[in-house]
Amino acid sequence: MSTPLGDFIRAKRDSIQPDVLGLPDRGRRRSPGLRRTDLAARAGISVEYLTRIEQGRDRNPSVPVVNALADALSLDPSERNHLRYLTKITGGECSAHTQPAPPRRDVRPSVLETLRLLEPGIAVVTNRLGDVLAYTSGYELVMGGIGLLDVDAPNLTRYVLTNPDARTFFADWDDVADEQAFDLWLAPSVENSEWLIAELAPIAGPDFTRRFNRHVVPPRGVLRLNHPSGYELLLLREMLELSSDAQQLVVFLPADEKTAQAIDQLRPPGRLRAIS
């Protein structure tokens, strides 16, 4: 039975071409990417042991082995963090006794005050499930005309993965969909799995399942939006982790002068809305 750790290592191995790592091309391969024998050699472990890890028959590789695999796959810092997280999940360290509580929906007064100080800028508080918990008038200005905020409990993940309009609004929809699927791995798993199985997966279909299981760590570059007004908005994102609340405060900044001018043209008098 496969595990998140094994799935990630296999997916990453399949995505790497041997020449990128300075390895010779040994002709036709049964699968794309790096051979299992090459990865095992680079990591200093046996092919049999790597096979057991990838197939889920070994769920507790040691820290040195995990670090060696990260080095052998040339993982960047965010990918290394994800690998360590998946190692804990696979090894059972994130059991029901150690997992954090399901994400809270209330936003602390000090965080709401921070949002007020950011007015009339573009900022939002979410959790890893994509629930939109509080936002500034600037966020409503940008997101208010697409249907995301028209429901009692708006959820960005649900909107991106199931609403056809999202594919037009997000110019790089494929990347945004990867981001939302990846973030679900970082949500408290009890709440995550219940919400996933009961609601999102049946609606979003195989495309979501594929994104969720391939463990692609998103780069989170400039966000390109096709605003209903006709403007193309390019936004930089700065994220502040509210770790004690399992929430994030995300601030969006114009990436160029054209975007700044477009937002000024759209901007009405600001106000703050919070969803409880």
Side-chain angles (χ1 to χ4, degrees), residues 29-209:
R29 300 187 297 273
R30 294 177 58 188
S31 59
L34 195 63
R35 293 177 186 269
R36 190 175 281 158
T37 52
D38 288 332
L39 176 57
R42 284 175 59 84
I45 61 177
S46 70
V47 176
E48 292 75 14
Y49 186 31
L50 176 59
T51 302
R52 292 201 305 272
I53 294 174
E54 288 192 356
Q55 294 179 348
R57 292 185 285 120
D58 189 307
R59 294 171 174 262
N60 292 283
S62 67
V63 172
V65 167
V66 172
N67 289 338
L69 285 169
D71 292 340
L73 290 167
S74 298
L75 301 185
D76 63 29
S78 61
E79 290 173 323
R80 285 174 179 267
N81 288 336
H82 189 53
L83 179 67
R84 285 194 291 268
Y85 178 70
L86 294 180
T87 302
K88 291 181 179 180
I89 292 177
T90 298
E93 290 185 37
C94 297
S95 66
H97 299 291
T98 59
Q99 286 171 355
R104 54 189 295 180
R105 290 194 57 84
D106 62 303
V107 180
R108 285 185 286 118
S110 59
V111 177
L112 290 175
E113 180 61 25
T114 301
L115 281 178
R116 292 188 182 94
L117 293 173
L118 290 170
E119 286 283 6
I122 308 168
V124 63
V125 176
T126 66
N127 58 33
R128 289 294 187 182
L129 295 183
D131 293 321
V132 178
L133 306 176
Y135 50 88
T136 60
S137 62
Y139 187 81
E140 186 174 20
L141 179 76
V142 172
M143 300 291 193
I146 62 171
L148 169 65
L149 305 178
D150 295 344
V151 296
D152 291 336
N155 182 282
L156 186 59
T157 303
R158 183 193 303 115
Y159 178 82
V160 169
L161 295 172
T162 67
N163 193 314
D165 293 339
R167 294 174 180 261
T168 300
F169 179 69
F170 294 100
D172 302 306
W173 177 85
D174 207 52
D175 293 337
V176 175
D178 280 342
E179 291 176 12
Q180 297 305 126
F182 178 82
D183 280 352
L184 290 169
W185 280 106
L186 307 180
S189 61
V190 173
E191 179 81 359
N192 176 14
S193 61
E194 289 180 354
W195 184 73
L196 213 63
I197 295 170
E199 181 180 352
L200 183 59
I203 301 173
D207 180 69
F208 163 71
T209 303

Side-chain angles (χ1 to χ4, degrees), residues 197-228:
I197 295 170
E199 181 180 352
L200 183 59
I203 301 173
D207 180 69
F208 163 71
T209 303
R210 176 182 60 81
R211 293 178 190 280
F212 183 70
N213 288 331
R214 68 178 177 167
H215 303 286
V216 173
V217 180
R220 303 185 194 276
V222 173
L223 186 65
R224 297 195 304 142
L225 305 178
N226 295 315
H227 194 268

